[in-house]
Structures are given as structure tokens and as C-alpha cells.
Amino acid sequence: MLDDHTAALCQIASRPKKDTMAYRIVLIHAIAVAVDPVADAFERLWPEAGTVNLLDDSLSTDRAAAGRLDESMMKRFVRLGAYAFEIGADGVLFTCSAFGPAIEAIASRAPVPVLKPNEAMFAAALDIGMRIGMLATFQGSIAPMSAEFDAMVAIRGQAASLECCLVEAAMTALRQGDRAGHDRLLAEAATELEDCDAVMLAQFSMAPAQTAVKEVLGVPVLTAPDSAVARLRAMVAGD
């Protein structure tokens, strides 16, 4: 059972607070194109942190093929989390938005802060307004992200709504090495969300498209990496 895997996380003791230079942040990825955007965010927003990347891109492939998050995938994600703690993580950031329940299973037993990919971005968007738009490039991320958004709205007691726009062709372009085409497709699709108070870019891999999307919208455009790094720094380092 999944609890058998998560129970082991409780046995890892929390470490004392360190100097900022000594913090080790483990980044867990299920898609290779998420690595560079979050590295850029750390370089700009928390350059003192030491980051470690764990990548298993078979998870995103299997998630897309299965059409759902099954028990086997959950266990694989939990094992990645356990390894992050074994190597001395002071904080863990997951960068794939299609694995929310698995991340929650890890966070519930973790000895250090664990952040889901988009929770910080959701909070920032809801601080801006009530009608929030979201551009996504991976179908599998929309349902879990929508559920997480609705849960946060309920907790905050807000009457907010989420309008999603899927642009799968952008992910195809990115995987083929066409970053310019990826950004152009997202900018074109963003016009469908022009009536929103804020627009979020769902996948970490979409972050470099922020400028292109901003150019066609008159509202704030939020990225998951920037929001997550700022939030994790506050949780881990207290600043």
C-alpha cells in the first residue's frame, strides 16, 4: 500500500536551521523541459540555494498513456521523495502538475517543506482577482490542477473561477526544440483569456513564454517557477 512507502518518511529527522548558503533544495521532475525554467528562477530569486535535480521522465510518458494517476506511479513518486530526504533535502519542489495526489502523500509525512508545483502561483493569482485564466500544454495536468485550485478557493472562502485553455501543440513544438513556436502558440491562445483578472502558465516548461503572453494581454501573467521559488525560500529560509 502507499502508506507503507510514506511511513518511512516519518523516520527521517528534521535537520536544524542552516545558513542560507548551506540549504539543499531537491527538485523532482517528470519532464526534462521543466529543468531549465526552474533553474533560471533559482538563479534570479534564490541564487544562494544549492539545487539537486531528480528526473524520471518515464512518469509523464506513463501518466499520459494511462490517462490517470495509478498506484504504481504514486509509489514511484513517493520513492523519489524518500530519496530526496535521504540525500539531505532542506526543501523539496515538484515541478510536474499532473501528480498532485502523490505529492500530497509525500508532503503529509515529510520532515521538511514540500511544495506542489502550482500552489504558490494559485495563491498569487487569487490575491489579484476572482476570474483566473490558465494556459496549459499537458492534458493530464488540467483535472488535478483544477481540483487543487477549487480546494484553495474553498479554503480561502473566495468566489473565484478558473478558465482553462489547453495548447497541446505548444508542448509538441517544445519537445521538438522549437521554443519560439511554443511561445508563439501560447501567445495566440492567450487571447481567449483576455477577460481574466490574471493568467497562469500551468507547466514549469512554459515559463519562458511569459513575455510573449504578456504582450497580448493587459493583465498579470504568472509563472509557476517564480512563484514556487519565492514561496519555498520563505518556507525554508524564512526570508
Side-chain angles (χ1 to χ4, degrees):
M1 297 295 294
L2 187 60
D3 283 346
D4 295 331
H5 293 267
T6 57
L9 304 183
C10 292
Q11 300 174 9
I12 306 173
S14 297
R15 285 167 294 281
K17 186 174 177 65
K18 302 180 179 181
D19 293 334
T20 303
M21 286 291 289
Y23 286 121
R24 169 172 282 188
I25 305 301
V26 176
L27 311 173
I28 299 181
H29 314 281
I31 184 169
V33 290
V35 176
D36 287 346
V38 73
D40 174 71
F42 269 97
E43 184 177 342
R44 289 183 288 103
L45 303 175
W46 195 6
E48 304 88 355
T51 57
V52 177
N53 291 283
L54 303 181
L55 168 66
D56 180 358
D57 53 6
S58 71
L59 281 162
S60 59
T61 301
D62 294 347
R63 172 66 176 80
R68 64 186 182 88
L69 179 59
D70 62 24
E71 184 75 5
S72 173
M73 295 174 208
M74 293 273 285
K75 290 178 179 178
R76 287 155 63 189
F77 241 79
V78 168
R79 285 195 291 269
L80 286 172
Y83 181 72
F85 304 136
E86 289 173 11
I87 64 174
D90 295 294
V92 178
L93 173 60
F94 289 84
T95 66
C96 185
S97 53
F99 297 89
I103 300 168
E104 290 168 4
I106 296 168
S108 68
R109 303 292 187 96
V112 299
V114 173
L115 197 61
K116 290 193 289 186
N118 300 291
E119 58 184 287
M121 181 173 65
F122 288 166
L126 289 169
D127 287 341
I128 294 172
M130 295 295 100
R131 186 174 180 183
I132 309 301
M134 184 172 73
L135 285 167
T137 57
F138 181 53
Q139 174 71 57
S141 68
I142 292 180
M145 287 183 67
S146 296
E148 291 171 19
F149 180 87
D150 291 343
M152 182 176 289
V153 167
I155 290 171
R156 292 169 64 119
Q158 293 177 264
S161 63
L162 179 65
E163 183 178 348
C164 299
C165 178
L166 177 65
V167 194
E168 288 183 302
M171 177 61 78
T172 299
L174 188 59
R175 283 176 165 159
Q176 293 173 346
D178 184 6
R179 166 63 70 179
H182 167 274
D183 295 358
R184 175 180 51 78
L185 288 166
L186 289 174
E188 291 173 356
T191 58
E192 298 181 23
L193 304 174
E194 59 187 0
D195 293 331
C196 294
D197 298 318
V199 171
M200 306 182 298
L201 304 184
Q203 275 68 57
F204 272 56
S205 58
M206 300 168 66
Q210 182 184 37
T211 299
V213 174
K214 276 184 175 180
E215 288 178 354
V216 300
L217 294 176
V219 301
V221 177
L222 306 178
T223 71
D226 280 12
S227 299
V229 172
R231 172 74 177 278
L232 193 60
R233 178 169 184 161
M235 294 171 70
V236 174
D239 57 19

